[in-house]
Amino acid sequence: MLKLAVLVSGGGTNLQAIIDSIEAGRIQQTEIRLIISSNPRAYAIERGKKHKIKTMVIDKEGFPSEDERTDAMINALTAEEIDLIILAGYMSILQPRVVRAFRGRIINIHPSLIPKYCGAGFYGKRVHQAVLDGGEGETGVTVHYVDEGVDTGPVILQEKVPVMAGDSVELLADRVLNTEHKLLTEAINLVIKGLA
Ligand code: GRF
């Protein structure tokens, strides 16, 4: 049984997509052992609790120094014998010590066609606003391995999403999010084939 940890910060719709795919058998021989949130108020935590998944908050409040937060994360991931870490709407930067400890076993989903509209400051709705401001005819979703950079690791999967005339940020964000939910399951299945 492959053990997943999902790192979250917000609504958790990508987390929910993984939960639903496991329960529907679209992802097999896999369980979510741990959810770590950087935000104590993240609705993603409620989603995990509803499915009786262990959740923990690692934030500045609970762990004032960066080293304490990094130690807490590595200890929790190690204690649960995590095989694959998924950043799903995780809005903090993963410390290099965590990347090194789990190199090749951390993936992230980003709501653009990397290398476009990614890196520091490009997250959430800011990505879609920049795509609209750039007059793009299409955008998309990227799932990639996490390295020490921001949105810079090797790409696993990408899928294009059309930008429609008159799109608002909200409309575009929803269309991209739907593709995220689908692509994340496809990417997890690809990665776990390599880990199994
Ligand atoms: C969304 O902007 C999504 O594009 C990105 O993280 C944000 C929140 O996702 N991956 P979620 O609903 O918390 O999974």
Side-chain angles (χ1 to χ4, degrees), residues 10-14 88-89 91 109 111 124 177 180:
T13 65
N14 279 294
M91 295 297 180
I109 186 158
L177 204 50
E180 284 185 52

Side-chain angles (χ1 to χ4, degrees), residues 17 59 71 83 86 90 98 110 119 124 126 131 145 150 157 174 192:
D59 66 347
D71 288 342
D83 299 299
I86 297 153
Y90 186 63
V98 181
H110 181 76
R126 290 174 175 217
V131 166
Y145 286 103
V150 180
L157 276 181
D174 281 350
I192 61 182

Side-chain angles (χ1 to χ4, degrees), residues 15-154:
L15 165 67
Q16 190 65 54
I18 301 169
I19 291 171
D20 296 348
S21 286
I22 290 173
E23 293 192 350
R26 292 189 295 270
I27 297 175
Q28 303 198 341
Q29 300 298 317
T30 302
E31 61 173 333
I32 301 174
R33 284 293 283 269
L34 178 62
I35 295 167
I36 299 177
S37 179
S38 62
N39 168 8
R41 291 170 301 286
Y43 186 65
I45 296 171
E46 298 316 309
R47 295 181 191 270
K49 285 180 175 169
K50 274 189 199 141
H51 292 267
K52 305 198 180 350
I53 300 169
K54 184 175 187 176
T55 62
M56 72 182 293
V57 173
I58 298 182
D59 66 347
K60 290 190 171 92
E61 186 86 19
F63 303 89
S65 79
E66 194 170 272
D67 267 352
E68 284 169 298
R69 289 193 291 282
T70 301
D71 288 342
M73 185 166 289
I74 292 176
N75 294 341
L77 294 167
T78 306
E80 295 296 334
E81 300 176 323
I82 297 303
D83 299 299
L84 178 62
I85 301 163
I86 297 153
L87 309 189
Y90 186 63
M91 295 297 180
S92 295
I93 300 298
L94 210 57
Q95 293 309 317
R97 210 156 37 99
V98 181
V99 175
R100 285 197 297 273
F102 292 89
R103 190 177 301 283
R105 293 186 292 144
I106 311 172
I107 67 174
N108 179 50
I109 186 158
H110 181 76
S112 81
L113 292 173
I114 287 176
K116 287 188 153 189
Y117 305 105
C118 66
F122 281 104
Y123 54 87
K125 297 237 187 313
R126 290 174 175 217
V127 175
H128 309 303
Q129 186 59 63
V131 166
L132 292 174
D133 294 348
E136 302 285 351
E138 66 183 16
T139 182
V141 177
T142 304
V143 183
H144 63 93
Y145 286 103
V146 171
D147 62 14
E148 284 85 346
V150 180
D151 302 332
T152 52

